[in-house]
Amino acid sequence: MGHEGSGKYGEDRRPNCDCLLFDLDDTLYPVSSGIGVDVMKNIQEYMVQKLGIDKSISLEFCILLYKQYGTTMAGLRAVGYQFDYDDFHSFVHGRLAYEKLKPDPVLRNMLLSLPIRKVVFTNGDRLHASRALKRLGIEDCFEGVLCFETLNPTSPATVPSNEVKIFDFMKHLADPQPGVELPKSPILCKPSTDAMLHALKLADINPLSTIFFDDSIRNIQAGKQIGMHTVLVGTSEKIKGTDHALESIHNVKEALPELWEEAVKDEDVRNSSKVGIETPVIA
């Protein structure tokens, strides 16, 4: 699967696939929805209102933590900020205007036309995933959802305020000192390969026979590292670690027509050998 192809969308050779794994945000719906911008705004407000972070540095801090830790939330916990996970998600996602997401019958028909196992894998929380998938009209197109709660089932006990020590992340980046390492986050999320492998194990997904769709280059490259066939969504420009690059999730059939051809051929075999494993993996 590591072979580089020369087709319009990238890899020419069909992967051996028994699962399609989809990111949610900015993958199953476009960046143009504006949801991502609203999430960023809400995170900044949470940082300022709930954690007492100076508004003047909140945007830069938010972005730098995201780049280092995979999510700003994971970064905030890594450097020492104490907060309840449900409270964070309620503030950040609970106030989103989900009406910005519109039903996508083209995507729905495409997903339903493939009798291959389909699972969503998002760093977002369970309720956010449910709301977004329902607005898109595709909530019943997936066997289940791997979400924040799958990998982080409970919020850790909070440390007394007088014992909280905040690591000076911004200072460290500006002037790293010898022997001082960035703290690790207690939150598991993409693009950590350990977190991704753990999630796949929980859902009984074999990365070597999975096609992974995500808009994040880092997530895609991590997926490639653990053996998945990778599809970068949101751009037609391939980068290292991607087998395909698509402007839109709607281009899947153009990029991987073999999936449909094989699905027709294998449908009887799949139906006859299928066992009762289709329990949602939403944690």
Side-chain angles (χ1 to χ4, degrees):
M1 286 197 298
H3 164 73
E4 292 289 336
S6 58
K8 178 180 177 183
Y9 296 97
E11 177 73 59
D12 292 323
R13 186 163 56 88
R14 178 192 179 275
N16 178 26
C17 171
D18 60 17
C19 182
L20 304 178
L21 188 65
F22 296 88
D23 174 49
L24 171 60
D25 299 307
D26 296 340
T27 296
L28 290 177
Y29 62 83
V31 177
S32 59
S33 70
I35 290 289
V37 173
D38 292 343
V39 167
M40 176 75 78
K41 177 175 175 287
N42 289 348
I43 292 175
Q44 286 179 251
E45 290 185 7
Y46 187 89
M47 293 166 67
V48 174
Q49 296 178 24
K50 299 275 192 167
L51 303 180
I53 295 170
D54 193 302
K55 185 176 181 179
S56 65
I57 66 165
S58 62
L59 177 58
E60 182 183 11
F61 196 20
C62 179
I63 293 172
L64 289 174
L65 288 174
Y66 170 81
K67 289 181 177 180
Q68 181 65 42
Y69 289 98
T71 67
T72 302
M73 181 184 186
L76 288 168
R77 286 290 287 120
V79 300
Y81 287 99
Q82 303 288 303
F83 53 87
D84 180 78
Y85 294 165
D86 290 340
D87 181 63
F88 180 92
H89 286 132
S90 177
F91 192 101
V92 171
H93 290 143
R95 304 186 303 159
L96 291 175
Y98 285 99
E99 60 270 19
K100 290 184 177 182
L101 298 179
K102 307 301 180 185
D104 190 341
V106 173
L107 177 58
R108 177 179 175 80
N109 290 336
M110 182 192 76
L111 293 169
L112 292 177
S113 69
L114 275 172
I116 299 174
R117 187 184 186 197
K118 294 173 283 288
V119 175
V120 172
F121 184 14
T122 175
N123 281 336
D125 61 285
R126 179 195 303 118
L127 186 56
H128 168 65
S130 177
R131 286 171 171 167
L133 292 172
K134 188 172 183 178
R135 283 293 306 175
L136 293 167
I138 57 174
E139 71 275 19
D140 59 341
C141 295
F142 301 94
E143 176 182 307
V145 178
L146 293 164
C147 58
F148 178 86
E149 290 90 344
T150 307
L151 292 171
N152 308 275
T154 58
S155 290
T158 56
V159 177
S161 57
N162 63 331
E163 297 179 19
V164 172
K165 295 181 179 179
I166 304 300
F167 179 84
D168 197 333
F169 180 75
M170 304 282 276
K171 181 180 178 181
H172 177 81
L173 291 188
D175 184 26
Q177 297 298 308
V180 178
E181 296 183 357
L182 284 170
K184 293 183 179 180
S185 179
I187 289 177
L188 296 177
C189 62
K190 298 181 288 184
S192 162
T193 53
D194 288 341
M196 293 172 75
L197 284 170
H198 182 54
L200 297 187
K201 183 178 180 180
L202 289 174
D204 193 24
I205 295 172
N206 179 2
L208 300 181
S209 55
T210 296
I211 303 180
F212 177 45
F213 301 81
D214 203 302
D215 67 292
S216 163
I217 293 174
R218 290 181 307 166
N219 293 349
I220 283 292
Q221 291 176 332
K224 192 65 177 174
Q225 287 177 34
I226 63 175
M228 290 194 283
H229 195 84
T230 56
V231 183
L232 180 64
V233 179
T235 177
S236 59
E237 182 179 350
K238 281 188 65 185
I239 51 93
K240 185 177 180 181
T242 63
D243 294 302
H244 302 273
L246 311 179
E247 285 283 356
S248 165
I249 196 68
H250 292 159
N251 298 132
V252 172
K253 196 165 187 176
E254 297 169 62
L256 291 163
E258 299 88 350
L259 289 178
W260 277 262
E261 295 164 9
E262 197 66 23
V264 172
K265 188 188 305 179
D266 292 349
E267 188 169 4
D268 290 339
V269 176
R270 290 180 187 280
N271 288 337
S272 64
S273 63
K274 200 171 185 180
V275 295
I277 59 171
E278 301 215 3
T279 302
V281 294
I282 299 178

